[in-house]
Amino acid sequence: MKPLQLTAILLWLLILGITLRAVLALGSDGGMVFLTDLAHPWRLQFNADLLIHLLLFAAWVFWREKSKRAGGICALLCLMGGLFTLPYLLFALHRAQGDVRKFLLGAQA
């Protein structure tokens, strides 16, 4: 579990740095960049693929949480991508205390 935790930390720092660079370069116009990208077939494919993965991750988060209210909030935040999902994974790994079953199943374990 430690290698997974380290990987999640490194990936979160990477995505945080990329996000900060984008915000500094483009400000709050990022949403418009995303929407205009949908006109390009390959960018649409990439963004649709990413969104499907984020929705699946959000569904897993909602399902594994004991409190459906907290699960719903976390699931919505998952749509932000790695800025939320990577810290969520770290938190879930910490809560599981090395037990893979608890990590994967959460409240269902």
Side-chain angles (χ1 to χ4, degrees), residues 17-40:
I18 291 170
T19 302
L20 290 174
R21 181 173 179 254
V23 168
L24 291 174
L26 300 174
S28 62
D29 290 342
M32 288 308 298
V33 170
F34 177 79
L35 292 175
T36 57
D37 269 359
L38 299 180
H40 188 281

Side-chain angles (χ1 to χ4, degrees), residues 21-94:
R21 181 173 179 254
V23 168
L24 291 174
L26 300 174
S28 62
D29 290 342
M32 288 308 298
V33 170
F34 177 79
L35 292 175
T36 57
D37 269 359
L38 299 180
H40 188 281
W42 277 114
R43 291 183 187 138
L44 174 61
Q45 186 280 335
F46 177 84
N47 289 330
D49 186 278
L50 174 64
L51 183 58
I52 288 167
H53 281 84
L54 290 175
L55 288 171
L56 285 171
F57 193 92
W60 172 69
V61 165
F62 179 76
W63 173 79
R64 74 179 300 282
E65 287 297 320
K66 185 174 188 173
S67 164
K68 291 309 168 193
R69 181 181 214 171
I73 292 168
C74 288
L76 284 175
L77 290 171
C78 283
L79 299 179
M80 290 174 33
L83 285 177
F84 180 79
T85 60
L86 291 166
Y88 179 86
L89 283 175
L90 283 170
F91 180 71
L93 286 165
H94 176 73

Side-chain angles (χ1 to χ4, degrees), residues 1-8 64 89-90 92-104:
M1 293 296 244
K2 291 290 182 195
L4 182 56
Q5 288 174 316
L6 181 60
T7 301
R64 74 179 300 282
L89 283 175
L90 283 170
L93 286 165
H94 176 73
R95 260 195 329 199
Q97 299 176 338
D99 185 341
V100 176
R101 187 172 186 272
K102 282 183 183 176
F103 168 68
L104 293 174

Side-chain angles (χ1 to χ4, degrees), residues 7-19:
T7 301
I9 291 169
L10 293 174
L11 291 174
W12 184 77
L13 289 172
L14 175 66
I15 201 69
L16 181 64
I18 291 170
T19 302

